[in-house]
Amino acid sequence: MKVYLLIISLLVMSFISCTKNTGITVTKPESNLILSKMQSGTWQNATANGNALTITGNNGYDGNYTFDSPVLAIGGVYKNDSAVGNSYILTVPMGPDLAVVEMNKKGKDAVDAILDVLDDEGGEAVIGNLINSIMQNGAANIDLSDADKILANTNLSPEKYEQIESILTASSGGFTGGDIIN
């Protein structure tokens, strides 16, 4: 009888300990983490101070930029202060480097539309693949009508895949350059 009570007691204790709320919540990094880096980050040729980003000594990206919007928990969009018209850069801190993708209004609208459709559900993977493709192939050489390369390994539902494919095709010509600022 004592053995049964001991076993029952152990089972009850293990059940309680397994279901006890320890107060720890596992979450993904929030945009606040990246936003703090984007508001006070320093790289060799770039400095973020509040909503201002200044890039110096780099091919074609020198200038002042004003923060426009966050991109999930991976980066931010800045408007080029010195450009005439709608010129933006998508920035992603990568340790000691800052990845920069230059885009016009069409590219910014595509990023916004992708985030509206996906939000946290695959958005980071799609934007990450888009940035990676631009960095590897150059903006002039990227074929946005071939969504398979950009949407590879994103596990999107067929409906969302089609929506993002349509957005990417419509944004052709919206991304005009990409570089690593270090």
Side-chain angles (χ1 to χ4, degrees):
M1 184 70 160
K2 286 183 182 182
V3 173
Y4 289 121
L5 287 175
L6 180 63
I7 292 173
I8 291 172
S9 296
L10 287 174
L11 287 173
V12 169
M13 286 176 36
S14 67
F15 177 75
I16 290 172
S17 68
C18 289
T19 59
K20 181 179 177 186
N21 183 355
T22 61
I24 297 172
T25 305
V26 177
T27 63
K28 292 171 46 177
E30 293 183 10
S31 57
N32 294 344
L33 178 66
I34 296 299
L35 289 179
S36 67
K37 180 71 172 173
M38 297 310 305
Q39 291 179 337
S40 62
T42 302
W43 300 269
Q44 184 176 343
N45 292 313
T47 304
N49 186 5
N51 286 335
L53 175 69
T54 303
I55 299 175
T56 57
N58 206 283
N59 304 335
Y61 295 99
D62 289 358
N64 298 312
Y65 300 85
T66 302
F67 184 77
D68 183 87
S69 58
V71 177
L72 299 172
I74 62 172
V77 173
Y78 287 83
K79 182 157 181 18
N80 187 338
D81 294 341
S82 57
V84 177
N86 292 314
S87 177
Y88 299 89
I89 58 172
L90 169 62
T91 60
V92 177
M94 297 170 33
D97 300 327
L98 181 67
V100 175
V101 172
E102 189 175 12
M103 56 190 177
N104 58 27
K105 180 75 169 128
K106 188 188 247 186
K108 182 184 181 313
D109 290 345
V111 170
D112 290 344
I114 289 168
L115 297 176
D116 284 345
V117 170
L118 297 178
D119 197 26
D120 284 340
E121 187 184 320
E124 290 175 1
V126 172
I127 298 295
N129 286 354
L130 177 63
I131 292 168
N132 195 24
S133 292
I134 291 170
M135 294 297 180
Q136 288 180 358
N137 304 314
N141 300 325
I142 190 168
D143 181 10
L144 294 174
S145 64
D146 183 8
D148 289 338
K149 292 178 184 174
I150 295 169
L151 300 179
N153 302 317
T154 56
N155 299 322
L156 298 176
S157 68
E159 297 82 27
K160 293 210 184 229
Y161 186 98
E162 288 178 21
Q163 285 179 297
I164 301 304
E165 183 177 37
S166 173
I167 292 167
L168 289 171
T169 300
S171 70
S172 188
F175 300 95
T176 55
D179 203 359
I180 298 290
I181 309 292
N182 48 17

